[in-house]
Amino acid sequence: MRNIVFAAFYALSFLLPAQVVTLDSCRNMALRNNKEIQQAALAIEKAGYQRKEAAAAYLPKFDLTAGYIYNSRKVSLIKEDQMLPTKSFNMQTGTFDYNLVIDPRTGAPLQVDGQYVPSTVALLPKSGLTYNIHNLMGGALTVTQPIYMGGKITAMNQITELAQQLASEMRQSKVEDVIYNVDAAYWQVVSLCAKQKLARSYVNLVESLDNDVKAMVNEGVATRANQLAVDVKLNEANVDMTKVDNGVTLSRMLLAQLCGLPVNTTMTLADEGRDELGATLAPSTVDMEDVYGKRHDIRSLQLATKIYDQQVKVARSEMMPKLAAVAALHATNPNSYDGFENKFGAAFSVGATLTMPLWHWGGLSNKVKAAQVDANVKRLELDDAKEKIELQVNQAMFRYQEAFKTWEATKANMAQAEENMRIANLAFKEGMGTLDEVLAAQTAWLKANSEKIDAEIDVQMTHEYLNKVMGNMHY
């Protein structure tokens, strides 16, 4: 919602004739409205949540488990009523003896089918050992406190912290890309506006020449062929001006789109009317270690390398013992602690768990080696990136120095072209020069001015690119 309000504010403000937009304004609008930067910001937010999630692994975990089961039948511990023999204390022997039926004929315990017959029994009824388990309920509240997980928790916390920093670096990289694209579109508009002004000046020159030639034709000092030659140049100048006008319109649309505004938004840029943009020559030598420290992509690769090193520790933790303390409060209904009565019965328990990997046929050790290979690959990527960046920086320096020298040369060429055109016009009016010389001088003047504009913009863009590859972009 905030972005929409800002976009509407700027869109309305650009409709005012006096509104002038600077390069910084375009950058700020683009940074606020760019969808990729917004996605990168969400990635940072996500990494923050993951970091908090990893930190929670240090703390005890509380879990509540509950369940309900309906059983169609009761459960009985015996099949039928049981008759259990009894014993009485024998004073003579001091022991307990079975109460048996005595055969009156022999005075010995009576046996039937080889089995003694008890004189008294204890009845164990089936109904007394039958329990109602139609509605079986239970629950447990458990607390688990990790004590030692092989270093996995510490490694995961390091990984999530590094991942949050990595997300921030990736966002900064996208910010620099957006700024560079906005700068390119901004200076493209400035360049085309300058060429638009130049095209109109050239049309005015040719129109002035056309009027002079028409007067000379009427006076008989110029031919109809001279008139046609000037008319052709005038038509060409008008066509070129139309192309430049269209180019300005399209380039303004592109800039508005990059700024997150409607493409038909009218913007007047602060640098449109400047005759001299100005630039300073960049240094010829740089400290590459300083460049590496400023480049977000290098810092991202360094963070990724550290993450892979922590992944090795995570893999190695699978080979380590794991110790945790456990406590639980559990309850059941029927009460399994007191005769399976149909009410809740509760108890608590405490203990510890220890897991020790013994033999996995090399699976865990190979997992560690694979993680080490990934870490080594990331280090090679970092070294390769540094080599390419060093080449990139040197190329950017050469390009900027070349653009700067070209710009200085075009300024001298333009001064010479203006003088040549002045002399050609003066000679033509005095009858000492030809029309072709005037047209050639005007064409050379147009070319020199156009080359100067291109050189100025090239200086701006190569300087901006040099700052980008050196990590010196200021915004």
Side-chain angles (χ1 to χ4, degrees):
M1 184 65 185
R2 181 182 178 185
N3 291 336
I4 296 176
V5 173
F6 273 116
F9 173 77
Y10 277 101
L12 291 174
S13 63
F14 290 148
L15 297 177
L16 300 176
Q19 180 67 35
V20 177
V21 182
T22 64
L23 178 60
D24 284 338
S25 298
C26 293
R27 288 175 169 182
N28 292 330
M29 286 186 289
L31 294 180
R32 279 194 297 268
N33 299 318
N34 185 266
K35 299 298 186 296
E36 291 185 356
I37 294 179
Q38 294 174 8
Q39 293 173 15
L42 292 176
I44 296 175
E45 183 179 356
K46 177 183 176 181
Y49 294 139
Q50 291 175 334
R51 182 178 179 182
K52 293 179 180 179
E53 176 189 359
Y58 286 114
L59 305 176
K61 298 178 181 178
F62 295 83
D63 297 291
L64 177 63
T65 304
Y68 169 82
I69 297 176
Y70 174 78
N71 295 300
S72 62
R73 297 180 61 181
K74 297 180 180 180
V75 62
S76 178
L77 299 183
I78 57 177
K79 183 177 181 181
E80 56 187 11
D81 292 347
Q82 300 293 315
M83 303 291 185
L84 302 180
T86 62
K87 287 184 177 182
S88 299
F89 185 73
N90 190 333
M91 297 292 293
Q92 297 177 354
T93 61
T95 61
F96 285 90
D97 296 332
Y98 282 104
N99 298 318
L100 302 175
V101 176
I102 303 301
D103 189 347
R105 295 174 299 175
T106 61
L110 179 65
Q111 290 186 341
V112 178
D113 297 330
Q115 298 290 332
Y116 292 106
V117 179
S119 60
T120 59
V121 296
L123 175 62
L124 188 62
K126 177 182 178 180
S127 60
L129 294 176
T130 299
Y131 304 104
N132 180 5
I133 60 167
H134 287 310
N135 298 293
L136 184 61
M137 293 171 283
L141 176 63
T142 59
V143 181
T144 305
Q145 174 62 60
I147 298 175
Y148 179 70
M149 295 289 113
K152 183 176 182 179
I153 295 178
T154 302
M156 289 303 299
N157 274 270
Q158 290 292 327
I159 288 174
T160 53
E161 181 180 355
L162 293 170
Q164 188 176 20
Q165 297 177 21
L166 177 60
S168 179
E169 293 294 340
M170 293 180 68
R171 179 189 178 277
Q172 290 301 109
S173 294
K174 291 185 180 297
V175 166
E176 291 190 353
D177 291 339
V178 169
I179 288 178
Y180 183 76
N181 291 333
V182 169
D183 287 5
Y186 180 92
W187 292 117
Q188 178 72 10
V189 173
V190 173
S191 172
L192 290 174
C193 286
K195 289 187 176 182
Q196 185 182 48
K197 180 179 178 182
L198 175 62
R200 288 171 181 166
S201 298
Y202 181 67
V203 168
N204 292 335
L205 280 176
V206 179
E207 285 179 345
S208 177
L209 179 62
D210 184 60
N211 293 331
D212 292 342
V213 171
K214 285 180 180 179
M216 295 173 68
V217 170
N218 293 333
E219 293 176 2
V221 294
T223 64
R224 182 61 180 169
N226 296 139
Q227 178 66 51
L228 292 175
V230 177
D231 290 341
V232 169
K233 283 292 183 181
L234 182 58
N235 290 334
E236 291 177 352
N238 285 321
V239 170
D240 290 340
M241 188 171 67
T242 301
K243 291 180 179 179
V244 173
D245 290 340
N246 293 336
V248 170
T249 301
L250 293 175
S251 62
R252 289 186 189 277
M253 288 182 176
L254 175 60
L255 179 60
Q257 188 270 330
L258 290 175
C259 293
L261 302 175
V263 293
N264 58 350
T265 302
T266 302
M267 291 190 292
T268 301
L269 306 186
D271 293 294
E272 283 185 21
R274 291 177 58 183
D275 295 329
E276 191 76 22
L277 297 179
T280 57
L281 191 60
S284 57
T285 58
V286 294
D287 182 2
M288 289 309 303
E289 291 301 323
D290 181 62
V291 172
Y292 297 149
K294 295 178 180 178
R295 287 284 295 252
H296 296 292
D297 48 357
I298 290 295
R299 293 211 293 259
S300 297
L301 284 172
Q302 290 171 340
L303 290 170
T305 301
K306 294 179 181 179
I307 289 175
Y308 275 91
D309 288 338
Q310 295 298 324
Q311 291 285 8
V312 174
K313 296 181 180 179
V314 172
R316 188 177 290 115
S317 69
E318 300 295 329
M319 304 174 64
M320 301 294 180
K322 298 174 180 62
L323 178 63
V326 180
L329 174 65
H330 34 79
T332 60
N333 186 351
N335 187 352
S336 60
Y337 307 106
D338 192 10
F340 285 93
E341 189 178 2
N342 286 329
K343 65 179 182 179
F344 278 99
F348 73 91
S349 58
V350 293
T353 62
L354 176 65
T355 304
M356 175 72 75
L358 296 178
W359 185 255
H360 291 255
W361 304 100
L364 297 180
S365 61
N366 286 324
K367 184 177 181 180
V368 174
K369 293 176 182 178
Q372 289 173 338
V373 170
D374 289 338
N376 291 333
V377 169
K378 194 58 62 175
R379 287 189 180 86
L380 291 176
E381 289 182 9
L382 177 60
D383 293 339
D384 183 58
K386 287 183 177 180
E387 293 175 358
K388 291 180 178 178
I389 286 176
E390 184 176 4
L391 177 60
Q392 186 184 43
V393 169
N394 283 286
Q395 289 175 338
M397 289 178 59
F398 291 143
R399 285 179 56 189
Y400 177 75
Q401 291 171 359
E402 180 181 350
F404 190 86
K405 292 178 181 179
T406 302
W407 176 52
E408 290 183 328
T410 56
K411 290 192 292 183
N413 293 340
M414 190 185 70
Q416 184 177 358
E418 288 178 347
E419 180 63 18
N420 289 340
M421 186 175 65
R422 187 187 68 81
I423 294 174
N425 285 329
L426 182 61
F428 178 70
K429 291 180 180 179
E430 296 294 333
M432 301 180 64
T434 64
L435 180 62
D436 291 339
E437 291 175 346
V438 175
L439 293 175
Q442 290 180 346
T443 302
W445 174 84
L446 176 65
K447 180 181 178 182
N449 274 274
S450 180
E451 289 177 348
K452 177 180 177 292
I453 294 171
D454 290 338
E456 285 178 334
I457 300 303
D458 195 31
V459 167
Q460 295 293 331
M461 291 312 303
T462 53
H463 187 261
E464 186 67 20
Y465 180 72
L466 179 60
N467 286 333
K468 184 176 185 294
V469 299
M470 293 178 62
N472 291 331
M473 294 189 72
H474 301 291
Y475 49 88

